[in-house]
């Protein structure tokens, strides 16, 4: 079974440029998450989707970040414009159902803003 | 709110040494507790979990016991290997399917 797939793995951009990250969750997983992981820190939730509905986006900086999950499968996270402080790893995860289940993570997309 | 605190690393051990990584949490109610591991160049993966007080999670020789009285979930392994070198994250789930992570502890095992 394929795991969570993210792309690109690495992205280097200049500040004020836009960037987008893509995530394909495990087939059949209706819950999808985007986490932010700064260097040397634990992941922090940005947004959680149940199917195509964003059910928790309280930590998403909405002035520059946006996300979508069309048709309840793939998801895209966008930053426009990027700032130096956005340099981090953006993790996507998926899970099968609500409750204390296991989250499956992708390898992450490492963003460097110059 | 929910929070997880784990010991800062790096933790450096020799092969076959005993490992303890401390984890304590703050949460209302009865959260589920997890340890995730991140090997170099790979994504986070679940190592073990416990869903109620006094439960013991175990996997690959690692163990952790859910201690409600001390709000702790310390990770232990009796004899570490070089291949255990990774970053370990303690996490809790207290609302739906949302994980709150600790800051991570890097383990380095030397041959």
């Amino acid at each position: 079974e394929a795991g969570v797939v993210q792309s690109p793995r690495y992205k280097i951009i200049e500040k004020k440029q836009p960037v987008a990250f893509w995530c394909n969750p495990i087939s059949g997983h209706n819950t999808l998450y985007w986490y932010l992981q700064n260097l040397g820190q634990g992941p922090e939730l940005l947004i959680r989707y149940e199917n195509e509905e964003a059910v928790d986006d309280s930590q998403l900086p909405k002035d520059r970040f946006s996300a979508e999950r069309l048709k309840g499968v793939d998801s895209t996270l966008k930053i426009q414009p990027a700032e130096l402080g956005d340099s981090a790893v953006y993790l996507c995860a998926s899970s099968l159902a609500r409750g204390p289940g296991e989250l499956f993570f992708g390898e992450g997309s490492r963003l460097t803003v110059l | 709110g929910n929070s997880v605190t784990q010991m800062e690393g790096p933790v450096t051990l020799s092969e076959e040494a005993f490992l303890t990584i401390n984890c304590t949490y703050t949460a209302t109610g009865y959260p589920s507790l997890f340890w995730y591991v991140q090997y170099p160049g790979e994504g986070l993966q679940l190592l073990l979990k416990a869903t109620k007080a006094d439960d013991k999670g175990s996997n690959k020789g690692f163990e952790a016991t859910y201690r409600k009285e001390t709000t702790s979930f310390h990770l232990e392994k009796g004899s570490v290997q070089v291949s255990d070198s990774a970053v370990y994250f303690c996490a809790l789930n207290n609302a739906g399917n949302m994980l709150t992570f600790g800051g991570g502890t890097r383990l380095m095992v030397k041959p």
Side-chain angles (χ1 to χ4, degrees):
Chain A
E1 179 182 280
V4 176
V5 179
Q6 291 188 244
S7 68
R9 287 292 310 278
Y10 305 93
K11 187 73 175 179
I12 301 174
I13 61 173
E14 294 190 347
K15 63 181 181 182
K16 300 185 181 179
Q17 294 300 306
V19 64
F21 305 110
W22 174 80
C23 173
N24 179 241
I26 292 173
S27 178
H29 283 195
N30 57 345
T31 307
L32 183 146
Y33 314 75
W34 284 101
Y35 278 85
L36 165 70
Q37 186 176 18
N38 286 305
L39 186 64
Q41 299 182 23
E44 300 172 14
L45 181 70
L46 288 173
I47 189 168
R48 174 168 65 100
Y49 283 93
E50 296 284 349
N51 299 304
E52 62 273 11
E53 181 184 0
V55 295
D56 188 340
D57 63 354
S58 58
Q59 301 303 311
L60 190 72
K62 298 182 183 62
D63 56 336
R64 297 184 300 107
F65 286 66
S66 64
E68 61 182 10
R69 190 183 185 197
L70 300 177
K71 301 181 180 179
V73 182
D74 294 0
S75 178
T76 302
L77 177 69
K78 297 179 181 178
I79 309 174
Q80 182 171 12
E83 297 180 351
L84 295 177
D86 296 331
S87 296
V89 177
Y90 293 83
L91 298 171
C92 180
S94 68
S95 66
L96 192 57
R98 303 191 70 182
E102 178 179 356
L103 271 64
F104 294 82
F105 285 83
E107 294 178 325
S109 295
R110 181 179 297 277
L111 173 66
T112 301
V113 182
L114 302 177
Chain B
N2 301 322
S3 67
V4 177
T5 302
Q6 49 183 119
M7 61 189 292
E8 291 192 17
V11 174
T12 304
L13 297 173
S14 298
E15 208 165 20
E16 299 183 2
F18 184 86
L19 168 71
T20 299
I21 300 178
N22 291 336
C23 170
T24 57
Y25 68 90
T26 301
T28 56
Y30 304 95
S32 296
L33 302 174
F34 303 80
W35 277 100
Y36 277 77
V37 58
Q38 188 172 31
Y39 298 104
E42 299 184 16
L44 280 84
Q45 54 187 275
L46 180 67
L47 180 61
L48 53 85
K49 69 178 182 182
T51 58
K52 61 182 186 295
D54 300 325
D55 266 2
K56 177 185 285 187
S58 61
N59 186 25
K60 299 182 180 180
F62 290 88
E63 293 182 339
T65 301
Y66 188 144
R67 302 289 188 195
K68 193 174 190 309
E69 63 276 13
T70 55
T71 62
S72 65
F73 193 55
H74 304 322
L75 182 68
E76 296 182 337
K77 186 174 186 181
S79 176
V80 293
Q81 305 300 311
V82 172
S83 57
D84 294 327
S85 298
V87 182
Y88 293 82
F89 292 92
C90 185
L92 70 81
N93 181 342
N94 201 22
N97 222 7
M98 218 163 62
L99 287 177
T100 299
F101 286 89
T105 302
R106 181 176 299 277
L107 170 65
M108 297 190 297
V109 181
K110 297 183 176 180

